[in-house]
Structures are given as C-alpha cells and as structure tokens.
Amino acid sequence: VANDPNIQRISTLDPETVDVLKRAAEFAQNYYNNAVDIEFVIVGNTIYFVQVRPLEAKKFEASYLKPDFIRQNSNPVISAIP
C-alpha cells in the first residue's frame, strides 16, 4: 500500500526529542567506547530506552550500564536512577 506523499514529508520527531536521543547515543557510545544499538519507545512526552548495547562487544565486557558509572557521570539525559 502506497503512503500518501504528504504524510511522507511530515516529521514524526520534534527537534528537542531528536536532540535528547542524540545525547543519549553519545553518552552510551562514550560508556562503551564503541558504536551502540539503541532501542527506544516514546509514549507521550517520555522516552523509554528498552535496550542499549555495543555493536561489537569486547570479550568479558559487561553489556549493561552500571548505575555507579551513570551517577558519577552526571548527564541531563539520565533523569532518574534508583
């Protein structure tokens, strides 16, 4: 089914959301020191990061973000950590 050409030109993400996603990707890339694969869901005005992982994991490297690392590297992208 062909999409309406007018709909194809409408941006689904506003510039602020794109900026938050960009900063989150940069934060994760710095943490892993590598490119990352990020899966996210947007519900209303909230972005939920479902999964973040390096594209090429190094041997014996953890595949999750450690809460202590996040706390020590204060970042406006991360707003609440238990």
Side-chain angles (χ1 to χ4, degrees), residues 1-10:
V1 176
N3 287 328
D4 178 343
N6 293 321
I7 294 174
Q8 293 174 0
R9 292 181 179 85
I10 299 172

Side-chain angles (χ1 to χ4, degrees), residues 60-72:
F60 304 115
E61 184 175 317
S63 61
Y64 57 89
L65 291 175
K66 299 176 187 115
D68 288 342
F69 175 87
I70 296 171
R71 283 188 197 94
Q72 292 171 1

Side-chain angles (χ1 to χ4, degrees), residues 2-56:
N3 287 328
D4 178 343
N6 293 321
I7 294 174
Q8 293 174 0
R9 292 181 179 85
I10 299 172
S11 177
T12 57
L13 297 175
D14 61 74
E16 182 180 335
T17 302
V18 171
D19 184 57
V20 170
L21 292 170
K22 177 183 177 284
R23 290 185 290 135
E26 290 169 346
F27 179 80
Q29 287 182 149
N30 288 335
Y31 175 81
Y32 286 114
N33 197 29
N34 203 349
V36 292
D37 175 32
I38 300 176
E39 295 178 25
F40 63 92
V41 176
I42 299 175
V43 179
N45 292 328
T46 304
I47 301 171
Y48 296 94
F49 293 95
V50 179
Q51 182 168 278
V52 178
R53 64 175 174 238
L55 289 178
E56 183 179 314

